[in-house]
Amino acid sequence: MEASFLIFVSLFIAGIIIFRRRSGKKLPPGPSFLSSNLLLLTPSRSKLEPILKNLNSKYPPLFALSIGFRPFIFVGDRSLAHQLLIQKGAIFSDRPTTNIPQCNITSASYGPTWRLLRRNLATEVLHPARVKSYSWARNWVLRILIGRLQEAEVIKVVEHFQFAMFSLLVLMCFGEKLDERKINEIVNVQRRMLLIGGSGRFTVLTMFPKLGKMLFRNKWKEFQQLQENKERVLIPLIKSRMEATNSVSQLGNDRVVAYVDTLVNLRLPEEETTSGNGGRKLTEKEMVGMCSEFLTTGTDTTSTALQWIMANLVKHPDVQSKLYDEIVSIVGPPPWPPLSGEEPVSTIKEEDVQKMAYLKAVVLEGLRRHPPTHFVIPHRVTKEVEVEGHVIPEGATINFFVAEMGWDPKVWDDPMEFKPERFLMNDDIINGGFDVTGSKGIKMMPFGIGRRICPASDLALLHLEYFVANLIWFFRWNVVDSYGVDLSERIEFIVVMKNPLRAQITSRAKERSI
């Protein structure tokens, strides 16, 4: 730990004590001020999470950590989360301030800029018609994935899942089919930022936004270098796309509108000019932030969820068989071989995927049992509010236990078991009978809920259903003799599996032909 951090902690302890005495407000219960601040010494978020889980069991339904001048509130109760994020959503929809420069939807303050950026994504990229226009791209990426899986009988699939999803999001972002070398270059700069940032290395920069650059100069320089590396790779792609005629490229027989195209003419509303012509356009560096967010949020959470779902289907062959039987009853048996030369691959169509109720149940159960992240992105409280007899002050940071809410035994029988059938009992799942948005009540919240809910949740569900269906249709997934499927390892906070799934896959069609 840097010496400057120890000096700073010593200096502000006295100020904190005075601040708390003057406040006189009844914060939610929690550890002492000293114990709370010792959590800053926790080396990584993955080690911090069990500590928070233990505190959640000790201080239900919410507790507070007094770190620095700003309390950190944690909520582990479904009803309370619904009250705060749905009924009082406007108060709890902001983001904590930080000295790390970012331009993206995730970290934008709740206001006009956030609305503009989110609306642009929702209407220009995630509109059902636009999503449907990318069906050929999903087929193209699936072809790449299946080809890789055919190369060996015993494989480590994690990298293949991640590469497939990243290839798809890169195409949607920049509108081009890039070669493997270029895609891996983008993966490397994105992954390095995610791994180092997710380890908690830069937490102190956000914890002390006004003094972080001065007190933690080495960490700040390291962060700047990561940013520069990312800009070096992504800015040429943005420039190339912006130079394309009419911001539209022709790929095969399909016209593609890329995410970059939608960013070109945006004008930031809070910087409107007196002439009424609107504010300035996004800079290239700001567009890097937007594209980086698009790639990361669209790739890592989906590929992580896909890993967990496939791991459970290996662990539970009876579920896998039942899913395969449903698929075959709708689309018939798969082709053999899955890929042959340059001939187009015959895959399950997306309209057929929508008819598969058990498939949807498998995906939902995977998200319930293994949500890609165990917390939401932190929220900031914009107005002092009383909750459960306690005061949550303005400016407090608040977060929610996503995983624990999906494991509540009051809602789910045997919550730690993988049972897709639970989603078929009371809801018309084909017609959207199960609500993952939590608007009427929270049963699980893998995409968050309220005004800050993931805007791409429908796209994520489509990708998971499409890839799971085709992977189970083409291949039988079995445990390799010398390996098990250990589901006790929890997902790291940085959304990378510690123990990659290993599976032995053989073609179903080949088995039938013998």
Side-chain angles (χ1 to χ4, degrees), residues 139 142-143 146 335 345-349 352 466 470 473-474:
N139 184 277
L142 177 64
R143 181 185 176 86
I146 293 174
V345 61
S346 175
T347 62
I348 300 173
K349 296 184 171 110
D352 290 327
Y466 179 72
N470 278 283
W473 192 48
F474 282 120

Side-chain angles (χ1 to χ4, degrees), residues 15-71:
I16 287 293
I17 294 174
I18 295 172
F19 170 79
R20 288 170 62 83
R21 285 176 178 173
R22 287 180 178 177
S23 173
K25 296 175 181 177
K26 187 179 180 183
L27 291 173
S32 66
F33 168 75
L34 181 60
S35 298
S36 296
N37 280 273
L38 287 176
L39 292 178
L40 288 175
L41 305 180
T42 304
S44 69
R45 291 180 180 178
S46 62
K47 294 183 179 180
L48 176 61
E49 189 176 329
I51 298 174
L52 294 175
K53 184 178 179 180
N54 180 61
L55 292 174
N56 184 45
S57 64
K58 184 177 180 181
Y59 298 106
L62 76 165
F63 63 91
L65 299 177
S66 298
I67 300 177
F69 292 91
R70 182 173 56 187

Side-chain angles (χ1 to χ4, degrees), residues 6 14-15 30 64 95 121 140 149 154 171 289 295 302 327 352 356:
L6 290 174
R95 293 294 191 211
L121 176 64
W140 168 66
L149 296 182
V154 181
L171 190 151
L295 296 174
T302 306
I327 294 170
D352 290 327
M356 301 175 184

